[in-house]
Every structure is written in structure tokens, then in C-alpha cells.
Amino acid sequence: MKKFTSIHDVQNLNGLIELAQTYKQQAFRDAQLGQHKRLVLLFFNPSLRTRLSTQAAAHQLGLYSITMNAANGWQLEFEEGKIMNANKAEHIKEAAAVISQYADIIGIRTFPSLDDRAKDYSDFILHQFIQYASVPVVSLESAIRHPLQSLADLLTIAEHKERQRPKVVLSWAPHPKALPQAVANSFVEWVAATDAELVVTHPPGYELAPEFGQQAQVVYDQKAAFEEADFVYVKNWSSYKHYGQRLAQDHNWMVTLDKLQACPDAKVMHCLPVRRNVVIEGKVLDSPHSLVIEQANNRTFAAQAVLSCLLNPKNILC
Amino acid sequence: MKKFTSIHDVQNLNGLIELAQTYKQQAFRDAQLGQHKRLVLLFFNPSLRTRLSTQAAAHQLGLYSITMNAANGWQLEFEEGKIMNANKAEHIKEAAAVISQYADIIGIRTFPSLDDRAKDYSDFILHQFIQYASVPVVSLESAIRHPLQSLADLLTIAEHKERQRPKVVLSWAPHPKALPQAVANSFVEWVAATDAELVVTHPPGYELAPEFGQQAQVVYDQKAAFEEADFVYVKNWSSYKHYGQRLAQDHNWMVTLDKLQACPDAKVMHCLPVRRNVVIEGKVLDSPHSLVIEQANNRTFAAQAVLSCLLNPKNILC
Amino acid sequence: MKKFTSIHDVQNLNGLIELAQTYKQQAFRDAQLGQHKRLVLLFFNPSLRTRLSTQAAAHQLGLYSITMNAANGWQLEFEEGKIMNANKAEHIKEAAAVISQYADIIGIRTFPSLDDRAKDYSDFILHQFIQYASVPVVSLESAIRHPLQSLADLLTIAEHKERQRPKVVLSWAPHPKALPQAVANSFVEWVAATDAELVVTHPPGYELAPEFGQQAQVVYDQKAAFEEADFVYVKNWSSYKHYGQRLAQDHNWMVTLDKLQACPDAKVMHCLPVRRNVVIEGKVLDSPHSLVIEQANNRTFAAQAVLSCLLNPKNILC
């Protein structure tokens, strides 16, 4: 593995999940692997879970991590040939090349603009970093994908599934703000790479981008979608078609204990943070249905497996 | 010790002070104790001394520390059953449970509102974290107490006292801003647990909350209070009765070299930062009376003793 | 070495450069030197390269580093005898003494006011820290010097020079903002301490402060200055005479590929960040002329050599 930005960078998905499980059982088994190596984490947006879980993963590998909050004050220029006489003090060409010299692996978190769809869906900032960096790059969530989250999600599903081919439902849910499509996109392409029946349910207008949405069956009736589901993954996202917009908010889409009567054994997942009683009813989160805390726990081991593969490119597991 | 929030969490105070003294003599004697463990420090308010001294203490125990500045942008919901459709993106239930999975110990610094006395004095945020966390929690200063400061203060007094039962005077002093009562409250309850004559002096209206104030003798005449004092601990606090308010500022309450003529051998203490020539006269801070720098030094060893006990719950010293 | 603030703190410049080269070949050769020691880095201004390279250097020495962004919210009082009843909560006397207790070495980054020349050129903040600190202080760039940058620059020149006494040209270049003179001042005094022909070229009005400018030959004609140069070091700075001001901006001073025809083998240097097509033409930065990425790489080894000397004051190399 030379970079980690999507499922397409993974050669052996089962091997990667097994490696994560191995670390979950014995966190410090490879505590020497990162010795004398450095991970630089750049956050163009604030982060709680991703930062803590990635730093925990690095710690477990003996890998030294440094975080940079680039959210304020670090304005990068990405345009080739630009006359840089305005507010951007550094070009990506220099920034990525320079940071590469201080790091053995670079992690980057970026967010979409939610107004320029073509640019967002080219994952522009992430790919510019990869182009000019000289060390492996890990996406800590990009404009359109959140692969470390998805790997943690698959690990969680693997731990809790009770049949070979579980029914996995990704359900849109309401939210007061317009959110990226990254978690949903990414979840779809990772689950589609496993043996699962994948259903996406959302109100009309919230269809995912074709490259992601075509990998799942779409059911507009949430109730029908939930029938006999083994996993209900809940997430809000803004519209791809009416790019970045919130359409009519339908609070009936909140996931409630009542709705789960259609799938009484279903496990409920969410990447967190979650707004209680808006996205998911509090009673669901406080019930045995909920896997959200364990999912967040698995972030550490997903990150650890990925960092391990990047530190050891000959590892045939990944 | 399973949490550290007040003197009430300490089983053997002398043992804890002795452990801190041991670390002061040999900082890295337990450098393996924290191996493969993590401390996550959450600051809901900025911090200099507490952050540096706690990270130094962790370093000396081989404990990996991660700091999170939660002051901006991380709005937590604490209310049960709330419909979270406003500006708070995460509930304490998830936040505390999730962070517990990345940490072996959580440190939290919170501040009082200074307008809702009942809520502040329930130490609401701290106790919500403790309720939902699954690992030990250390208070890095809460709404109403600052126990790591108080332990450092007792260590400092133990090092400098020249009689078995010293006279310890806590003196209110002026300040341009309304400050919490945490340091004063905490100092009173920790000193009251030792063999000392404890006197609190302040202008009328600045009486501490009864649960704290009743543990000391109150003398409204600062001059009388200073007579034959061994230690003068200086601190501003806002009114408990007129909650969170500054009453008439009496600059005559500044602690000066002149006033110390009543107690020529007295040591002067303050938790820092201190406003020179407002709270304490600069000449006092620059004189042999002052212990303020040593007090700040002792923060490291106080924190180290507490972390050591939390890492090793079978330690009979604490 | 007891502090590192300028060339004047260096006893054996060649020894220091050789030590940096040794670390470049074998980064972790002294990985035990910093064991059980701490470096506290205080940034009164944001930093990318300096922070990452210094933390990388510390990591390579086994030295634990803690960073503090003091840019916001930490207002220090520097005036002796001040009545501190306004917005500054802590005096440098306490701050420097306290931090010294948590650190074995303190690094400080400050910037000039660009309006009070006398105060800036006394390097007031840096020297106040040194006065009240009880541990060695490293300048991470001060109001008037950037010595870690200069040491990295000399290391870069040493690696790339092709004759014993190279011609080194420091060229002013345009910039949309008024910048400090620190990098230029410092470069001049470090290069002047080596065997080199040192030329400074700039428009009239941008003469460096006499104590620095007198160490170099000034040539106002950029084209003539570039003749047969081995190294062209490009940097903008504001006026010393009309203190802190940008004078008439002459875009003809941008360093272009065309201009380098006068010195076809010249290497182009810049401390970064660099505004492309304003300070230096993009084509130059993308050409074999450019050493800017390697220069940034050398920041790590320069910092490592300095920290190594401060950790080991008996080292005769420095």
C-alpha cells in the first residue's frame, strides 16, 4: 500500500480487516514498527475522533505523530502558474514537498466546498497533496470519501454479523446543517466490496453520485428498506443533484425505536458525532441496538492496520 | 484512586504528598509505569501551567499524552433527552464514552459560568464526564475546585513549614476581573485536612460557599489575620453570595511588603498567573517571601503522584 | 553553547555544520541524548517549517517536545514595575521562570512590531525570556534574526558549493506585505563568518541595519550583482530606514529564469514560504536552479545540531 484514499488502494480487504482485528486483541504487538518514523497529520477541518484514534494508532505502533491545525491561517495556493500576490502565502508544490521531508507518512483531512461539485468530486486538495508529496498519504476524510471510517465500519460489521451475507441498510436521516456526502459514498463502496446485501434508502433528491450510488440498491421507502435488516447505518448527507443543498427536511426520516420493529435484531451504526433526537432517537442510541461507541473504538484499529501497511509496504495483507 | 476531583478522592494524603516528594527527587523512577498507556487532556479553557506540568508529569511516567483544546468549536450537549437541532453537535454521552476508548486516563479542565450558582456548584460538566466515561477522570480545575493545584500547595507547605502546626492564611486580594472561587475553595479543604491553623481573610461579601468556608476561621481584618502567619496564600475570587460578582474593589487588600511586617518570616504563595502590583506587590514577588515559582514547579510532581496512583490503583499510598 | 540566538553564540561554526551533516547521514545516531529531557516550544506567531523541523530534530534526539501556541490569548507583561490592571495577566518574570521548570530547553518564536525600530532591534521579547529563564533558550526566529534558518542555509551552501570561496548574492525581491528583516540580517552575519564573497542587492531604501549591512558589499544593480553568482538567496524585507515600510514596489526585482542567464550554474535559495511569480518566478522554482526544498529539509539537521549542543554543553564542536 502506497497511499490510502479509498477501497481502490486496498489489495486484500479481508487481510486488512484481519490485521485490524489482530491489533484490537493485542494493541502493542507491533510497537517497534514505527520506531524512528514520523506521522504528520494536517487538519484543514477540526477533528476529534479521527485525530485521537489516529494518534492512538500511531502510539501503538511506536510511530511519532505531530498534528497541525491548518484550519486557520494557512492558506495554500493550488493553481498552477498563479501570480501569488493575494492572501495565499504558499503553493501546494512547496508545502507538500517540504512536509514530506519531515514525515514518513502524511495524513490529511479536507472537506468539500459543497458548492463546486466538479472540483469536490475530483478530490482536488487530496490529490494535489499526493501529487507533490514524496511519502505515502492517508486520507483522514476527503471531500468525497472517509476511508478510515469505512474500514472501521467493516470491522464492526465483521464483529457483529450473524449470517454470511448480512442485509446492510444505509439510511439518510435529517440534520440541521448541509453535510458532505463523504461518509455515505465511502460506506457504499466499502460494503459493496464485501459479501452483503446493500440497500440505500433516502428521500428523492438525495441520490448519491452515480459512481457510488450504482453500487447499491435504492429503496425510497424507509420502512420497506428496514425489513429484516441486520445493520442500519444512519447518516445525513446533502444533495448531490442540487449540489450541497438541504432539500425539504422530513423529520419522519429520523431513525426511531418504533421503526426498528421491522428489524428487531438490527444493529444501528453512525460515524458520530450524532445529534440525538434529530438524526437518531436517543432511545435507540441508549439501547442494545446501538454499535456507535464500538464503531468509534474500531477507528483506532482501522487506522493502526492502515499505518502498519504503509510502514511495511511488503505486507501482503494489504 | 479511581478519579481525582477533590480531597475526598484521596485515601492517604500524607502518602500522596510523600509520593510527590519522591518524584521530585527522582523524576523518572517510574518511567515504565505509563508504558503503553495514554492520557487525553481536554481543555475547555486555555491553560499554561496545568497543561505543561501535567504533560511533564506524564512524560516522567512514560505515559503518552494528547491535548485537545475544546475551547472553540466543540459544543457539547449535556441535557438528557434534548432535541439537538441547534448548535451543539455532540452529546456528552457519546463524547465521554468515545474518548474513554482512546485514553487510559482523561483529564478535564472546565470553568464555572459564574452566573448559575447551583449548576456551577454541582460541578456539572465534570460530573457528567465522570458519569459517562469508562476510565478514570482527573480534574485539571473544575467549576469549584482545583485539586492538582491544592496538592502542589500542600507539597510546597510541607517543604517550607518550620513548625508542626503552621498558621496558614488565605487572603483575598483585588483583581480587575471576576474570577472563579475554585482555587480558594480547594485550598481550604486541602489545608483543613492537614495539621494547620487555617484563617481566611477577605472583605465582607466574599465569604466562601458554606461547605468550604466552614472549614476555616474567618477574620475580616487582614492585618490581624497576618499576625504571625507562616504562609500567606493570596488569591482573588468573586462573590459567592452575590454570585460571580466583583463587589467594591478595595485596593488596600493588595498584599504588600509593608503588610508582611506583621509576619516577617511568612512565605507568600499564589497559584499564578499573578497580576503584579494589583494582587501582590512586585517587591513581594521579588523577595525571599515568595514561593510562587517553587509552587508552580511542584505542579509537576503533584500531577505525577496523582497519575501514578491512577495508573496503579493498588498503590496503598493513595 | 548556553543559548542559541545568533552566530555570536557559536564557538565553532565548522564543527556545528559538520555535526548537522553527521545527523543528516544518520538521523538517530544520538537518539538517547535527549532521554528524560523536555523541549518547550513557544510560538508567538504561527509556524509550519520551524515547528515541524524542530519537533523532528527533537524526535531524532529522543527529546520530548511540547508546543504552545501563544499567539492568541496569552498576553505577557514585559514592563518592570507595571501595575497590571489591564489585559495582561502574567509578567515575563513569572512566565519564563515557571516554564523553565517544565523544560530543559525553551524555544521561542517572536516577530518584530515593525513600528518601533529601537525596541525591535533590542530583540526585546527574546532577551526578556533569556533574562528570566533558568534553562537554555533557542531562538526560533526573533524580531531581527532567524539563526536556525541561517545554519540550515550554510549547510545547504556547504553541500552545493563548487569552489572554495563561492559568490553568494542576497537579493531583495517584491512581496505584497511588509515583512521582517530577520532572515536577511541573519543570513548576512552567518555567511560573513564563512569564506565567501557576499553581495547584497536591493533597490535604494532597503539597506539593512548597519550592524548587518556593513558585513556585505552592496550592489544596487541586480543584474550586475548576479554576474557569476554561485548562490542567489532571494528574500523580501521591509525598509530599515523607513522602518517597517514597503517602498515603491518594483516588480522588475522578481528573480526570473531570464535573469539567471547571468549566472547559469547558480543555485537559488529561499527560506519559504515563497509567493510564486511575485518573489521568484515559478519556472525558477521548478528548475534545477532551485534548492528551496533541500533548504527546508536541512532545517531539521540544523535544529538537531543546535539542540544536541545545548543538551551536551561540553561538546567542543559548538
Side-chain angles (χ1 to χ4, degrees):
Chain A
M1 205 191 284
K2 292 189 172 173
K3 62 182 167 74
F4 181 78
T5 64
S6 78
I7 184 72
H8 307 299
D9 295 318
V10 178
Q11 289 182 32
N12 178 347
L13 177 55
N14 286 334
L16 191 61
I17 293 173
E18 281 162 24
L19 184 58
Q21 286 172 325
T22 309
Y23 286 134
K24 192 166 179 178
Q25 281 158 31
Q26 209 183 334
F28 287 88
R29 59 175 295 168
D30 284 339
Q32 301 303 313
L33 191 60
Q35 200 191 20
H36 295 177
K37 305 277 185 183
R38 283 188 293 275
L39 170 67
V40 171
L41 299 170
L42 301 172
F43 291 96
F44 285 87
N45 292 81
S47 165
L48 168 69
R49 262 155 289 272
T50 298
R51 177 153 99 77
L52 290 181
S53 64
T54 307
Q55 290 203 272
H59 176 231
Q60 289 167 192
L61 293 167
L63 176 64
Y64 180 70
S65 61
I66 307 176
T67 60
M68 291 279 299
N69 284 319
N72 307 315
W74 194 41
Q75 300 264 31
L76 284 183
E77 178 60 59
F78 290 93
E79 194 180 320
E80 176 71 32
K82 181 83 173 183
I83 297 172
M84 292 172 59
N85 57 2
N87 63 336
K88 296 181 179 173
E90 182 143 35
H91 199 280
I92 179 66
K93 285 187 178 184
E94 275 76 48
V98 164
I99 295 170
S100 295
Q101 298 179 122
Y102 305 141
D104 296 279
I105 301 173
I106 298 175
I108 301 173
R109 184 188 193 100
T110 64
F111 257 39
S113 65
L114 291 186
D115 54 45
D116 183 338
R117 187 169 87 175
K119 197 167 182 178
D120 285 350
Y121 271 74
S122 75
D123 234 345
F124 183 67
I125 296 177
L126 176 64
H127 286 112
Q128 288 272 302
F129 260 96
I130 291 170
Q131 179 173 353
Y132 294 113
S134 57
V135 296
V137 170
V138 178
S139 165
L140 307 170
E141 185 170 354
S142 75
I144 54 169
R145 288 183 173 98
H146 197 347
L148 286 173
Q149 179 66 55
S150 301
L151 176 56
D153 296 338
L154 290 200
L155 174 56
T156 309
I157 290 173
E159 288 173 341
H160 290 274
K161 73 176 181 182
E162 294 185 350
R163 44 177 169 156
Q164 178 58 30
R165 184 177 160 77
K167 179 175 178 185
V168 178
V169 179
L170 169 61
S171 176
W172 185 91
H175 195 282
K177 292 170 66 178
L179 296 187
Q181 295 129 27
V183 170
N185 289 341
S186 206
F187 183 72
V188 163
E189 69 175 5
W190 283 72
V191 172
T194 69
D195 189 12
E197 180 192 351
L198 176 58
V199 171
V200 182
T201 184
H202 54 71
Y206 284 106
E207 290 76 13
L208 294 174
E211 67 224 70
F212 298 102
Q214 285 164 3
Q215 302 185 47
Q217 181 190 350
V218 177
V219 174
Y220 291 99
D221 176 346
Q222 192 187 36
K223 188 175 179 183
F226 279 21
E227 290 291 333
E228 291 184 52
D230 295 290
F231 295 92
V232 175
Y233 197 100
V234 190
K235 184 75 187 82
N236 172 271
W237 61 88
S238 58
S239 175
Y240 175 80
K241 188 174 175 189
H242 307 281
Y243 191 62
Q245 292 181 38
R246 291 167 70 219
L247 310 179
Q249 289 285 309
D250 192 344
H251 288 291
N252 294 332
W253 279 80
M254 179 168 79
V255 174
T256 63
L257 216 43
D258 263 5
K259 291 183 184 175
L260 294 176
Q261 290 180 355
C263 47
D265 297 326
K267 297 299 184 186
V268 172
M269 301 175 70
H270 189 282
C271 60
L272 304 183
V274 62
R275 287 164 177 262
R276 286 175 164 251
N277 303 310
V278 175
V279 176
I280 302 178
E281 192 182 23
K283 281 189 273 183
V284 172
L285 290 163
D286 295 331
S287 80
H289 284 288
S290 175
L291 292 182
V292 301
I293 304 302
E294 192 58 33
Q295 243 181 301
N297 187 30
N298 284 338
R299 293 291 308 272
T300 300
F301 309 106
Q304 190 173 2
V306 167
L307 292 172
S308 176
C309 289
L310 291 168
L311 285 168
N312 185 11
K314 292 181 188 166
N315 191 331
I316 58 161
L317 290 176
C318 31
Chain B
M1 204 190 285
K2 290 189 174 175
K3 62 182 168 73
F4 182 79
T5 65
S6 79
I7 185 71
H8 308 298
D9 295 317
V10 178
Q11 289 182 32
N12 178 346
L13 177 55
N14 286 334
L16 190 61
I17 293 174
E18 281 162 25
L19 184 60
Q21 287 171 324
T22 309
Y23 286 133
K24 192 166 178 177
Q25 281 158 30
Q26 210 183 332
F28 288 88
R29 59 174 294 167
D30 284 339
Q32 301 303 313
L33 190 60
Q35 200 191 18
H36 295 176
K37 304 277 185 184
R38 283 188 291 274
L39 171 66
V40 171
L41 300 170
L42 301 173
F43 291 96
F44 285 87
N45 292 82
S47 165
L48 169 68
R49 261 156 292 272
T50 297
R51 177 154 97 79
L52 290 181
S53 64
T54 307
Q55 290 203 272
H59 176 231
Q60 288 166 195
L61 293 168
L63 176 64
Y64 180 70
S65 61
I66 308 177
T67 61
M68 290 279 300
N69 283 320
N72 307 317
W74 194 41
Q75 300 263 32
L76 284 183
E77 178 61 60
F78 290 92
E79 195 180 320
E80 177 70 33
K82 181 85 174 184
I83 297 172
M84 292 172 60
N85 57 2
N87 63 335
K88 296 180 179 174
E90 182 142 35
H91 199 280
I92 179 66
K93 285 188 179 183
E94 275 76 47
V98 164
I99 295 170
S100 295
Q101 299 180 122
Y102 306 140
D104 295 280
I105 301 172
I106 298 175
I108 300 175
R109 183 190 194 100
T110 63
F111 257 40
S113 66
L114 292 185
D115 54 45
D116 183 340
R117 188 170 87 176
K119 195 167 183 179
D120 285 350
Y121 271 73
S122 74
D123 235 345
F124 183 66
I125 296 177
L126 177 63
H127 286 112
Q128 287 273 302
F129 260 96
I130 291 170
Q131 179 172 352
Y132 295 113
S134 56
V135 298
V137 170
V138 178
S139 165
L140 306 171
E141 186 171 352
S142 76
I144 56 168
R145 289 182 172 97
H146 196 347
L148 285 173
Q149 179 66 54
S150 300
L151 177 55
D153 295 340
L154 290 201
L155 174 57
T156 309
I157 289 173
E159 287 173 340
H160 290 274
K161 73 176 181 181
E162 294 185 349
R163 44 176 171 157
Q164 178 58 32
R165 183 175 161 79
K167 180 176 179 185
V168 178
V169 179
L170 169 62
S171 178
W172 185 92
H175 196 282
K177 292 170 67 178
L179 296 187
Q181 295 129 26
V183 169
N185 288 341
S186 203
F187 183 72
V188 163
E189 70 175 5
W190 284 72
V191 172
T194 69
D195 189 13
E197 181 192 350
L198 176 58
V199 172
V200 182
T201 184
H202 54 72
Y206 285 106
E207 291 75 15
L208 294 175
E211 67 223 71
F212 299 102
Q214 285 165 2
Q215 302 185 47
Q217 180 190 353
V218 178
V219 174
Y220 292 100
D221 176 346
Q222 191 186 37
K223 189 174 179 182
F226 280 20
E227 288 292 332
E228 291 182 55
D230 296 289
F231 296 92
V232 175
Y233 197 100
V234 191
K235 186 72 187 85
N236 172 271
W237 61 87
S238 58
S239 177
Y240 175 80
K241 188 174 175 188
H242 306 281
Y243 190 62
Q245 291 181 40
R246 293 167 69 220
L247 309 179
Q249 289 287 307
D250 192 344
H251 288 290
N252 294 332
W253 279 80
M254 179 168 79
V255 173
T256 63
L257 217 41
D258 262 5
K259 292 182 183 173
L260 295 177
Q261 289 180 355
C263 46
D265 297 326
K267 297 299 184 186
V268 173
M269 300 175 70
H270 189 282
C271 61
L272 302 183
V274 62
R275 287 164 177 264
R276 287 176 164 249
N277 303 310
V278 175
V279 176
I280 301 179
E281 192 182 24
K283 279 188 276 184
V284 172
L285 290 163
D286 295 330
S287 80
H289 285 287
S290 174
L291 293 182
V292 300
I293 304 301
E294 192 58 33
Q295 244 181 299
N297 187 31
N298 284 338
R299 294 291 308 272
T300 300
F301 309 107
Q304 189 173 2
V306 168
L307 292 173
S308 175
C309 289
L310 291 170
L311 286 169
N312 184 11
K314 293 181 188 166
N315 192 332
I316 58 162
L317 291 175
C318 31
Chain C
M1 203 191 284
K2 292 189 173 173
K3 61 182 167 76
F4 182 78
T5 65
S6 78
I7 184 73
H8 307 298
D9 295 317
V10 177
Q11 290 182 34
N12 179 347
L13 177 55
N14 286 334
L16 191 60
I17 293 173
E18 281 163 24
L19 184 58
Q21 287 172 325
T22 308
Y23 286 133
K24 192 167 179 178
Q25 282 159 29
Q26 210 182 333
F28 287 88
R29 60 174 293 167
D30 285 340
Q32 300 303 312
L33 191 59
Q35 200 191 19
H36 296 176
K37 304 277 185 182
R38 284 188 291 274
L39 171 67
V40 171
L41 300 171
L42 301 172
F43 291 95
F44 285 87
N45 293 81
S47 165
L48 169 69
R49 262 156 290 272
T50 298
R51 177 154 97 78
L52 290 181
S53 64
T54 307
Q55 289 203 271
H59 176 231
Q60 289 166 192
L61 293 167
L63 177 64
Y64 180 70
S65 60
I66 307 177
T67 60
M68 290 278 299
N69 283 319
N72 306 316
W74 194 42
Q75 300 263 31
L76 284 183
E77 178 60 60
F78 289 92
E79 196 180 319
E80 178 70 33
K82 181 84 174 184
I83 296 171
M84 291 171 59
N85 56 3
N87 61 337
K88 296 181 178 173
E90 182 142 36
H91 198 281
I92 178 66
K93 285 187 179 184
E94 275 75 48
V98 164
I99 295 169
S100 296
Q101 298 180 124
Y102 306 140
D104 296 279
I105 301 173
I106 298 175
I108 301 174
R109 184 187 193 104
T110 64
F111 257 40
S113 66
L114 292 186
D115 55 44
D116 183 339
R117 187 169 87 176
K119 195 168 184 179
D120 285 350
Y121 270 74
S122 75
D123 234 345
F124 183 66
I125 296 176
L126 177 64
H127 285 112
Q128 287 273 302
F129 260 97
I130 291 170
Q131 179 173 352
Y132 295 112
S134 56
V135 296
V137 170
V138 178
S139 165
L140 307 171
E141 185 169 353
S142 75
I144 55 168
R145 288 183 173 98
H146 197 347
L148 285 173
Q149 179 67 53
S150 301
L151 177 55
D153 296 339
L154 290 200
L155 174 56
T156 309
I157 289 173
E159 288 173 340
H160 290 275
K161 74 176 180 180
E162 293 185 350
R163 45 177 171 158
Q164 178 57 32
R165 184 177 160 77
K167 181 176 177 184
V168 178
V169 179
L170 170 61
S171 178
W172 184 92
H175 195 283
K177 293 170 66 179
L179 297 187
Q181 295 128 27
V183 169
N185 289 341
S186 205
F187 184 72
V188 162
E189 71 175 3
W190 283 72
V191 172
T194 69
D195 189 12
E197 180 192 351
L198 176 58
V199 172
V200 181
T201 184
H202 54 71
Y206 284 107
E207 290 76 13
L208 295 174
E211 67 224 72
F212 298 101
Q214 285 164 4
Q215 302 185 47
Q217 182 190 349
V218 178
V219 174
Y220 291 99
D221 175 346
Q222 192 187 36
K223 188 174 179 181
F226 279 22
E227 289 291 332
E228 291 184 52
D230 295 290
F231 295 92
V232 175
Y233 196 100
V234 191
K235 186 73 186 83
N236 172 272
W237 61 87
S238 58
S239 176
Y240 175 79
K241 188 174 175 189
H242 306 281
Y243 190 62
Q245 292 180 39
R246 292 166 71 219
L247 309 179
Q249 289 286 309
D250 192 344
H251 288 290
N252 294 331
W253 279 80
M254 179 169 78
V255 173
T256 62
L257 217 42
D258 262 5
K259 291 182 183 174
L260 295 176
Q261 289 180 356
C263 48
D265 297 326
K267 296 299 183 186
V268 173
M269 300 175 70
H270 189 282
C271 61
L272 303 183
V274 62
R275 286 164 177 263
R276 286 177 165 247
N277 303 310
V278 175
V279 177
I280 301 178
E281 192 182 23
K283 281 188 273 185
V284 172
L285 290 163
D286 295 331
S287 80
H289 284 288
S290 174
L291 292 182
V292 300
I293 304 301
E294 192 58 32
Q295 244 181 299
N297 186 31
N298 285 337
R299 292 291 308 273
T300 300
F301 309 105
Q304 190 173 3
V306 167
L307 292 172
S308 175
C309 289
L310 291 169
L311 287 169
N312 185 11
K314 293 180 186 166
N315 190 332
I316 58 162
L317 292 176
C318 29

